Amino acid sequence: TSIASESSSKALVAVGCVDGKIRLYDVRSPPQSQCRVAEFSEHNSRIVQVDVQQGGDGIMSSACSEGIVKLWDFRSKASTVSIQAHRPHLTAMAIHHYAPFFVSGSTNQTIKVISHEGKILSLIRHHDGFLGRRIAPVNCISFHAFDETFAAGFTDSIVSVYSADTKKKTLL
């Protein structure tokens, strides 16, 4: 259900599957050989998002529909960090390719900015205003390539852009 590749060499491709497994392939392998080099199977539900942090650190992130986000090192078969980001129904996740945090969203109208250590840096949630609801259930999230800015798409066809507050060093 999700595919990501390492942009520096484009040799490693991570695939997140419906069965909760993440399969890592090396596309440099000869066609007649098995290109799957690793399989990670700690998730128990559908993989919503798999992503590879750029910069050659070998960090991969995955999120499953149960709300669990895991960080992996390509060199090991076990996750290095496991974080319960949402309970339940995580619907979107993106890892920043150069900064040590990720963003996740869920059907309960919340977006969380979380450090790689599991600390919640910011929480954006639904609230009613005179114009109605401020955010709907989250459908997708994507980071800007270099800035600490991300966009979130919602089920009501609204897209919102969030960026860092440089004075407080937190995301709003």
Side-chain angles (χ1 to χ4, degrees):
T1 59
S2 179
I3 299 173
S5 69
E6 185 183 31
S7 71
S8 60
S9 67
K10 301 223 187 280
L12 295 175
V13 176
V15 179
C17 303
V18 176
D19 62 0
K21 294 182 180 173
I22 301 159
R23 294 173 176 94
L24 189 63
Y25 297 92
D26 188 345
V27 295
R28 299 171 293 188
S29 299
Q32 60 271 31
S33 70
Q34 176 77 359
C35 12
R36 184 170 50 188
V37 293
E39 184 173 277
F40 306 94
S41 57
E42 290 183 22
H43 287 292
N44 295 323
S45 64
R46 177 179 68 89
I47 301 296
V48 172
Q49 183 71 33
V50 64
D51 207 348
V52 179
Q53 189 173 26
Q54 306 305 316
D57 291 338
I59 296 174
M60 176 178 65
S61 63
S62 63
C64 71
S65 59
E66 289 179 336
I68 299 170
V69 175
K70 292 184 180 282
L71 300 179
W72 309 82
D73 187 338
F74 287 150
R75 297 163 289 216
S76 70
K77 296 266 183 175
S79 61
T80 56
V81 176
S82 183
I83 300 163
Q84 181 73 48
H86 295 274
R87 290 190 204 271
H89 308 302
L90 184 138
T91 54
M93 190 271 299
I95 187 171
H96 194 281
H97 286 179
Y98 298 102
F101 58 85
F102 63 90
V103 176
S104 61
S106 73
T107 56
N108 67 354
Q109 301 167 315
T110 59
I111 297 172
K112 292 181 183 179
V113 181
I114 304 173
S115 73
H116 286 187
E117 292 80 35
K119 180 181 175 193
I120 296 175
L121 303 175
S122 186
L123 175 64
I124 302 164
R125 68 176 105 188
H126 150 77
H127 63 278
D128 288 323
F130 70 94
L131 295 175
R133 290 184 171 165
R134 297 291 295 191
I135 70 172
V138 181
N139 237 5
C140 56
I141 296 173
S142 184
F143 270 105
H144 182 275
F146 302 105
D147 290 341
E148 294 177 351
T149 302
F150 67 92
F154 304 96
T155 57
D156 61 357
S157 302
I158 300 291
V159 175
S160 297
V161 177
Y162 301 92
S163 70
D165 180 355
T166 55
K167 293 177 185 169
K168 294 181 183 178
K169 294 289 185 193
T170 60
L171 284 171
L172 297 177

Short mmCIF file of all heavy atoms in Angstrom, two decimals, residues 20-22 39-45 47 62 64 66 68 70-72 77-82:
data_model
loop_
_atom_site.label_atom_id
_atom_site.label_comp_id
_atom_site.label_asym_id
_atom_site.label_seq_id
_atom_site.Cartn_x
_atom_site.Cartn_y
_atom_site.Cartn_z
N GLY A 20 0.82 -6.04 6.92
CA GLY A 20 1.59 -5.46 8.02
C GLY A 20 3.09 -5.65 7.87
O GLY A 20 3.85 -5.22 8.73
N LYS A 21 3.53 -6.25 6.79
CA LYS A 21 4.96 -6.46 6.57
C LYS A 21 5.54 -5.36 5.69
O LYS A 21 4.86 -4.80 4.84
CB LYS A 21 5.21 -7.82 5.94
CG LYS A 21 4.86 -8.95 6.87
CD LYS A 21 5.16 -10.29 6.26
CE LYS A 21 4.76 -11.36 7.28
NZ LYS A 21 4.85 -12.69 6.74
N ILE A 22 6.82 -5.10 5.92
CA ILE A 22 7.57 -4.17 5.09
C ILE A 22 8.67 -4.98 4.43
O ILE A 22 9.42 -5.68 5.10
CB ILE A 22 8.17 -3.03 5.92
CG1 ILE A 22 7.06 -2.28 6.64
CG2 ILE A 22 8.98 -2.10 5.04
CD1 ILE A 22 7.53 -1.51 7.83
N GLU A 39 12.89 -8.36 5.33
CA GLU A 39 11.46 -8.28 5.59
C GLU A 39 11.27 -7.94 7.06
O GLU A 39 11.85 -8.58 7.93
CB GLU A 39 10.78 -9.60 5.26
CG GLU A 39 9.29 -9.54 5.42
CD GLU A 39 8.60 -10.80 4.92
OE1 GLU A 39 8.37 -10.89 3.70
OE2 GLU A 39 8.33 -11.68 5.76
N PHE A 40 10.50 -6.91 7.32
CA PHE A 40 10.23 -6.45 8.68
C PHE A 40 8.77 -6.77 8.99
O PHE A 40 7.89 -6.38 8.23
CB PHE A 40 10.50 -4.95 8.80
CG PHE A 40 11.88 -4.55 8.34
CD1 PHE A 40 12.09 -4.12 7.03
CD2 PHE A 40 12.95 -4.60 9.19
CE1 PHE A 40 13.35 -3.74 6.60
CE2 PHE A 40 14.21 -4.23 8.78
CZ PHE A 40 14.41 -3.80 7.48
N SER A 41 8.52 -7.44 10.10
CA SER A 41 7.15 -7.91 10.35
C SER A 41 6.67 -7.64 11.78
O SER A 41 6.02 -8.47 12.38
CB SER A 41 7.05 -9.40 10.04
OG SER A 41 7.98 -10.12 10.81
N GLU A 42 6.93 -6.47 12.30
CA GLU A 42 6.49 -6.14 13.66
C GLU A 42 5.09 -5.54 13.71
O GLU A 42 4.47 -5.53 14.76
CB GLU A 42 7.48 -5.18 14.33
CG GLU A 42 8.82 -5.82 14.65
CD GLU A 42 9.75 -4.87 15.38
OE1 GLU A 42 9.27 -3.89 16.00
OE2 GLU A 42 10.96 -5.10 15.32
N HIS A 43 4.60 -5.00 12.60
CA HIS A 43 3.25 -4.43 12.59
C HIS A 43 2.22 -5.54 12.49
O HIS A 43 2.45 -6.57 11.88
CB HIS A 43 3.08 -3.47 11.41
CG HIS A 43 3.79 -2.17 11.56
ND1 HIS A 43 3.43 -1.23 12.50
CD2 HIS A 43 4.83 -1.64 10.89
CE1 HIS A 43 4.22 -0.16 12.39
NE2 HIS A 43 5.09 -0.41 11.41
N ASN A 44 1.03 -5.30 13.08
CA ASN A 44 -0.05 -6.28 13.05
C ASN A 44 -1.21 -5.87 12.16
O ASN A 44 -2.20 -6.59 12.08
CB ASN A 44 -0.57 -6.53 14.47
CG ASN A 44 0.48 -7.16 15.34
OD1 ASN A 44 1.25 -7.99 14.88
ND2 ASN A 44 0.52 -6.76 16.59
N SER A 45 -1.12 -4.71 11.54
CA SER A 45 -2.21 -4.26 10.68
C SER A 45 -1.63 -3.60 9.43
O SER A 45 -0.42 -3.46 9.28
CB SER A 45 -3.12 -3.28 11.44
OG SER A 45 -2.41 -2.11 11.77
N ILE A 47 -0.14 -1.45 6.55
CA ILE A 47 0.84 -0.36 6.53
C ILE A 47 0.22 0.81 5.77
O ILE A 47 -0.16 0.69 4.60
CB ILE A 47 2.16 -0.79 5.85
CG1 ILE A 47 2.77 -1.98 6.58
CG2 ILE A 47 3.14 0.38 5.78
CD1 ILE A 47 3.19 -1.73 8.01
N SER A 62 7.75 3.65 9.37
CA SER A 62 6.52 3.01 8.92
C SER A 62 5.41 3.33 9.89
O SER A 62 5.65 3.57 11.08
CB SER A 62 6.71 1.49 8.82
OG SER A 62 6.99 0.95 10.09
N CYS A 64 1.27 2.07 10.79
CA CYS A 64 0.18 1.14 10.49
C CYS A 64 -1.15 1.75 10.91
O CYS A 64 -1.19 2.73 11.65
CB CYS A 64 0.40 -0.21 11.16
SG CYS A 64 0.21 -0.22 12.94
N GLU A 66 -3.25 0.86 13.02
CA GLU A 66 -3.51 0.84 14.47
C GLU A 66 -2.95 2.06 15.18
O GLU A 66 -3.15 2.22 16.37
CB GLU A 66 -2.90 -0.42 15.09
CG GLU A 66 -3.62 -1.69 14.73
CD GLU A 66 -2.96 -2.91 15.37
OE1 GLU A 66 -1.76 -2.86 15.69
OE2 GLU A 66 -3.67 -3.91 15.53
N ILE A 68 0.44 2.90 15.24
CA ILE A 68 1.82 2.70 15.69
C ILE A 68 2.78 3.13 14.59
O ILE A 68 2.65 2.71 13.43
CB ILE A 68 2.06 1.23 16.07
CG1 ILE A 68 1.14 0.85 17.22
CG2 ILE A 68 3.52 0.99 16.42
CD1 ILE A 68 1.11 -0.62 17.53
N LYS A 70 6.84 3.21 13.62
CA LYS A 70 8.12 2.58 13.96
C LYS A 70 9.22 3.19 13.11
O LYS A 70 9.01 3.52 11.95
CB LYS A 70 8.07 1.07 13.73
CG LYS A 70 7.14 0.35 14.70
CD LYS A 70 7.18 -1.15 14.50
CE LYS A 70 6.27 -1.86 15.47
NZ LYS A 70 6.80 -1.99 16.80
N LEU A 71 10.38 3.34 13.74
CA LEU A 71 11.59 3.76 13.03
C LEU A 71 12.51 2.56 12.96
O LEU A 71 12.65 1.81 13.93
CB LEU A 71 12.28 4.92 13.75
CG LEU A 71 11.44 6.19 13.91
CD1 LEU A 71 12.23 7.25 14.64
CD2 LEU A 71 10.98 6.72 12.56
N TRP A 72 13.14 2.38 11.82
CA TRP A 72 13.97 1.21 11.54
C TRP A 72 15.35 1.65 11.08
O TRP A 72 15.49 2.69 10.46
CB TRP A 72 13.36 0.37 10.44
CG TRP A 72 11.92 0.02 10.60
CD1 TRP A 72 10.83 0.80 10.30
CD2 TRP A 72 11.38 -1.20 11.10
NE1 TRP A 72 9.67 0.14 10.58
CE2 TRP A 72 9.97 -1.09 11.07
CE3 TRP A 72 11.95 -2.38 11.56
CZ2 TRP A 72 9.12 -2.10 11.47
CZ3 TRP A 72 11.10 -3.40 11.95
CH2 TRP A 72 9.71 -3.26 11.92
N LYS A 77 17.09 -6.04 11.82
CA LYS A 77 15.77 -6.60 11.47
C LYS A 77 14.68 -6.16 12.45
O LYS A 77 13.54 -6.50 12.27
CB LYS A 77 15.86 -8.13 11.47
CG LYS A 77 16.78 -8.68 10.43
CD LYS A 77 16.03 -9.01 9.19
CE LYS A 77 17.00 -9.62 8.20
NZ LYS A 77 16.38 -10.09 7.03
N ALA A 78 15.08 -5.43 13.49
CA ALA A 78 14.11 -4.98 14.49
C ALA A 78 14.01 -3.46 14.47
O ALA A 78 14.96 -2.77 14.11
CB ALA A 78 14.53 -5.46 15.87
N SER A 79 12.85 -2.96 14.87
CA SER A 79 12.68 -1.51 14.91
C SER A 79 13.52 -0.93 16.05
O SER A 79 13.75 -1.57 17.07
CB SER A 79 11.21 -1.15 15.12
OG SER A 79 10.73 -1.67 16.33
N THR A 80 13.97 0.30 15.86
CA THR A 80 14.76 0.97 16.89
C THR A 80 13.86 1.80 17.82
O THR A 80 14.19 1.99 18.97
CB THR A 80 15.84 1.88 16.26
OG1 THR A 80 15.20 2.81 15.38
CG2 THR A 80 16.85 1.06 15.48
N VAL A 81 12.73 2.26 17.29
CA VAL A 81 11.79 3.07 18.06
C VAL A 81 10.38 2.63 17.68
O VAL A 81 10.10 2.41 16.50
CB VAL A 81 11.97 4.58 17.78
CG1 VAL A 81 10.93 5.40 18.49
CG2 VAL A 81 13.36 5.05 18.13
N SER A 82 9.50 2.53 18.67
CA SER A 82 8.09 2.24 18.43
C SER A 82 7.26 3.24 19.22
O SER A 82 7.41 3.35 20.43
CB SER A 82 7.76 0.80 18.86
OG SER A 82 6.42 0.50 18.55
#
